[in-house]
């Protein structure tokens, strides 16, 4: 049988994908390098991360460094011919690590239509410290040991009793004790 007939058929894509996934899992399981990788990316003290979203924008998470400001990055990544409106410029100053800006374009000007926080999952991955007063129900679920019910209890307690102010103040929520707080402290560094 000629060689061209033996290799005339390419394996189906699912077979190739399954073999690739199996090989990757096998290598990661035994790789000593994987043991040394940290849970999150190193957070450089001079870098700032923020997220942009909106129609016609280059949505995504951006790292700020090298003397650029949030307005500079927005103008470079969103609409090359547009500039921030004066109200939008004041809205992004001072630059805040972990901020999320919803943007739009109106009359050749970039407007900020919403400012908030990146999801807790993104902040954790980027090494940005969380704050208990800047978290939604879905943000709480991103932490280990918190399901929807406990996240709801935290949310209700904050609505009834006001901001927590610190991680340790979460002890006032039934079901949260020193053990859970100790587990979460790494995500709330500095509090």
């Amino acid at each position: 049988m000629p060689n061209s007939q033996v290799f005339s058929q390419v394996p189906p894509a699912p077979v190739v994908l399954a073999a690739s996934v199996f090989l990757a899992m096998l290598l990661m399981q035994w790789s000593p390098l994987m043991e040394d990788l940290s849970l999150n990316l190193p957070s450089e003290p001079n870098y700032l991360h923020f997220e942009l979203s909106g129609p016609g924008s280059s949505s995504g998470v951006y790292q700020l460094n090298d003397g650029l400001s949030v307005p500079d990055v927005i103008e470079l990544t969103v609409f090359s011919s547009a500039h921030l409106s004066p109200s939008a410029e004041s809205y992004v100053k001072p630059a805040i690590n972990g901020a999320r800006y919803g943007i739009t374009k109106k009359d050749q000007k970039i407007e900020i239509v919403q400012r908030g926080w990146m999801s807790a999952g993104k902040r954790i991955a980027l090494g940005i410290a969380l704050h208990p007063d800047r978290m939604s129900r879905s943000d709480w679920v991103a932490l280990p040991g918190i399901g929807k019910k406990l996240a709801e209890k935290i949310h209700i307690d904050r609505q009834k009793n006001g901001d927590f102010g610190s991680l340790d103040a979460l002890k006032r929520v039934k079901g949260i004790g020193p053990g859970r707080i100790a587990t979460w402290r790494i995500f709330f560094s500095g509090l």
Side-chain angles (χ1 to χ4, degrees):
M1 184 181 273
N3 282 343
S4 63
Q5 290 179 354
V6 172
F7 296 105
S8 64
Q9 296 220 357
V10 177
V15 172
V16 173
L17 179 63
S20 299
V21 168
F22 175 76
L23 183 59
M25 289 174 59
L26 192 62
L27 289 173
M28 286 190 330
Q29 182 179 9
W30 291 321
S31 173
L33 175 65
M34 293 306 290
E35 294 172 10
D36 295 335
L37 291 176
S38 64
L39 173 65
N40 50 27
L41 299 173
S43 183
E44 297 290 331
N46 296 328
Y47 291 167
L48 176 101
H49 296 91
F50 64 96
E51 183 176 15
L52 296 178
S53 66
S57 71
S58 298
S59 296
V61 175
Y62 293 90
Q63 177 177 296
L64 194 62
N65 60 347
D66 297 333
L68 291 176
S69 66
V70 173
D72 293 335
V73 174
I74 291 173
E75 288 182 19
L76 288 171
T77 59
V78 182
F79 306 101
S80 59
S81 63
H83 297 286
L84 282 175
S85 68
S87 63
E89 256 193 74
S90 64
Y91 206 57
V92 294
K93 291 181 183 177
I96 301 170
N97 205 16
R100 181 179 182 279
Y101 302 102
I103 55 178
T104 189
K105 182 180 173 186
K106 183 179 179 182
D107 299 327
Q108 295 300 313
K109 296 286 183 187
I110 299 168
E111 297 288 336
I112 307 289
V113 292
Q114 180 186 27
R115 183 168 82 176
W117 298 103
M118 284 185 212
S119 70
K122 288 179 184 175
R123 286 182 278 164
I124 289 169
L126 292 167
I128 300 169
L130 301 176
H131 192 286
D133 299 329
R134 296 182 186 145
M135 298 196 37
S136 66
R137 287 182 206 114
S138 59
D139 286 336
W140 286 109
V141 175
L143 293 175
I146 296 186
K148 290 181 181 181
K149 288 182 181 180
L150 185 53
E152 184 65 22
K153 282 184 184 180
I154 294 168
H155 177 75
I156 290 170
D157 182 277
R158 186 167 165 227
Q159 297 301 312
K160 284 183 179 179
N161 303 311
D163 287 346
F164 295 107
S166 72
L167 182 61
D168 289 316
L170 284 166
K171 291 177 190 172
R172 73 185 193 204
V173 178
K174 186 176 180 178
I176 298 178
R180 286 187 188 224
I181 302 264
T183 302
W184 301 331
R185 196 161 305 279
I186 189 172
F187 305 111
F188 293 85
S189 61
L191 292 178

